[in-house]
Amino acid sequence: MGSMKVHQLARGFVGARSRSHAWLQTASSDPDSGPRKLASSDEKKDSPQGETHPGGTRWNPTQEQIGILEMLYRGGMRTPNGQQIEDITAQLSRYGKIEGKNVFYWFQNHKARERQKQKRNSLGLSHSPRTPSPITLISLDTTRGEVEKDEDSPYKRKCRSWSFECFELEESRSWREEEEGDRTLELFPLHPEGR
Amino acid sequence: MGSMKVHQLARGFVGARSRSHAWLQTASSDPDSGPRKLASSDEKKDSPQGETHPGGTRWNPTQEQIGILEMLYRGGMRTPNGQQIEDITAQLSRYGKIEGKNVFYWFQNHKARERQKQKRNSLGLSHSPRTPSPITLISLDTTRGEVEKDEDSPYKRKCRSWSFECFELEESRSWREEEEGDRTLELFPLHPEGR
DNA sequence: GCAAATTAATGATTTATTCAAG
DNA sequence: CTTGAATAAATCATTAATTTGC
């Protein structure tokens, strides 16, 4: 009762003049005069399609990759953490270009869509008569029992972080790896510390 | 919508057997990773109690950090991308320990909760709820105007990636963000996050 | 006045929804 | 249509406020 919400903070911390919003220009919210797509055909790069990856828009998994991922999924992997993602990515990259986020997204999407399909099946079985029902259940593991219910895992909230770990090295990394040239980004002009 | 909520705790993350998944074993599949916090020990004795240095469980923002973040939010920043997060983190780290994910989460949460509050307000708006006239009167100059709708941005789906770049920023930022050249720096320090 | 117990905030994680490329 | 990618919503989990009992 009477939670007075003593939350106001003394925001007198910093001067923060007006010249800040420069970095605020995130999205190029320019007047979209139509559904334009990155029209700049300037070949950002030298078309790194030397391997199996396309121009570079979106990850296109190969069969080997998918196979491994599905295997992992069936094995019970649901939400790999950063390290696992890293490892998986490392392995899958042998079959084609891939990034960690692809692995992460794949698991997310696969899980969600499997569940979706399942729900759809159990709900209205009238539509698709030829429902797949393909995924045979691998009865691997007999000693452990409990493979985490491959089917559905509603909630657990285990705090298994996932990828943000990568950010940690931010503090120790010295961005100026190599020629970085002059990035005219210059965010945060608050402290002229010069990075 | 009917979320079914089944609550099941069976888990254990099947130990990917087979030499094939060997690389998958790294995970801290500690049986029942009790986040119990281990009431005792704490051999570290670090206790940087100096300012705002919690043990290391969860980020506890300082007033300065919150202030800056709120200022940014107020400035219109909604979902900073990887680069921005990096910069913000760099600056905020001057006031206390912080990681990129904290910044990311902060924006996510703040946005969501602001919207939540707003919605809640508009719901019980039948009472002429006396305009809030809240605290804080930061006179952040308003010469700007037009800051991308600070209030609410329903949807844009602009694909502004955010943090995954850290994984392998290879061809991210493709969306006409700007050049900055391609630096394929190699991350992956493989550190076993103590936690 | 202080410390345990409760409650309110809010950081962190997962799921649901949606958009867009192929 | 399928599915990778991205965001929003829901929710868990832990810390700070606040209240209560001594």
Side-chain angles (χ1 to χ4, degrees), chain A residues 1-6:
Chain A
M1 55 275 282
S3 52
M4 39 208 297
K5 255 182 206 167
V6 197

Side-chain angles (χ1 to χ4, degrees), chain A residues 37 99 113 117 139 164 187:
Chain A
K37 22 197 67 186
E99 295 176 55
R113 282 174 175 141
K117 275 191 175 102
S139 58
F164 278 121
L187 307 183

Side-chain angles (χ1 to χ4, degrees), chain A residues 5 7-11 13-14 16-18 20-30 36 38 40 44-46 55-57 68 71-72 74-77 81-89 91-92 97-101 104-105 119 140-142 144 146-149 152-156 158-171 173 175 177-180 183-188 190-191 193 195, chain B residues 2-8 10-14 16-17 20-21 23-24 26-28 30 32-33 63-64 66-68 70-72 75-77 79-80 82-91 94-95 97-101 104-105 117 135-136 138 140-141 143-144 147-148 158 160-164 166-178 180 182-193 195:
Chain A
K5 255 182 206 167
H7 250 263
Q8 76 278 41
L9 345 95
R11 272 114 178 188
F13 58 100
V14 65
R17 287 293 168 264
S18 46
S20 342
H21 301 158
W23 33 288
L24 186 282
Q25 50 95 36
T26 59
S28 58
S29 53
D30 66 34
R36 83 176 52 186
L38 47 125
S40 61
K44 320 87 182 165
K45 292 215 228 149
D46 42 315
T57 359
I68 294 177
M71 181 173 61
L72 291 174
R74 280 208 285 268
M77 185 172 281
N81 60 19
Q83 214 157 348
Q84 289 172 310
I85 287 181
E86 187 187 316
D87 262 320
I88 296 170
T89 303
Q91 287 301 321
L92 293 187
K97 191 155 184 281
I98 190 173
E99 295 176 55
K101 69 173 186 176
F104 173 74
Y105 280 144
K119 181 165 278 183
L140 60 86
D141 149 81
T142 45
R144 273 303 268 264
E146 282 181 320
V147 246
E148 190 187 328
K149 209 68 171 328
D152 185 307
S153 29
Y155 262 87
K156 310 122 93 105
K158 252 248 287 280
C159 181
R160 53 171 101 222
S161 64
W162 38 296
S163 343
F164 278 121
E165 278 84 335
C166 59
F167 262 118
E168 284 185 10
L169 64 136
E170 243 172 34
E171 303 167 0
R173 172 160 54 76
W175 262 95
E177 205 44 17
E178 36 205 29
E179 46 117 26
E180 147 180 350
R183 295 164 53 193
T184 14
L185 255 233
E186 206 64 46
L187 307 183
F188 276 106
L190 299 176
H191 305 277
E193 201 68 78
R195 16 186 275 178
Chain B
S3 45
M4 6 178 90
K5 240 155 187 215
V6 192
H7 261 308
Q8 106 189 4
R11 109 182 65 307
F13 172 51
V14 62
R17 57 196 326 80
S20 302
H21 319 151
W23 37 283
L24 181 288
T26 66
S28 58
D30 231 354
D32 186 1
S33 66
Q63 288 303 337
E64 293 89 2
I66 293 225
I68 293 177
E70 280 186 348
M71 182 175 63
L72 291 173
M77 188 173 279
T79 308
Q83 215 160 347
Q84 289 171 311
I85 288 181
E86 186 187 317
D87 250 322
I88 296 170
T89 304
Q91 288 301 320
R94 299 168 61 82
Y95 302 102
K97 191 152 183 280
I98 188 174
E99 294 175 56
K101 67 172 187 177
F104 173 74
Y105 284 145
K117 276 191 177 96
I135 42 228
T136 57
I138 279 193
L140 194 84
D141 86 341
T143 66
R144 269 304 264 213
V147 273
E148 198 195 321
K158 205 87 154 300
R160 55 174 100 221
S161 60
W162 37 295
S163 339
F164 278 123
C166 60
F167 262 120
E168 269 186 329
L169 53 151
E170 285 175 356
E171 84 273 343
S172 308
R173 110 238 181 273
S174 30
W175 321 86
R176 68 183 269 158
E177 192 59 32
E178 73 175 284
E180 93 159 57
D182 55 352
R183 62 243 285 229
T184 333
L185 51 100
E186 61 287 339
L187 310 182
F188 296 117
L190 251 152
H191 57 124
E193 50 163 87
R195 221 205 303 282

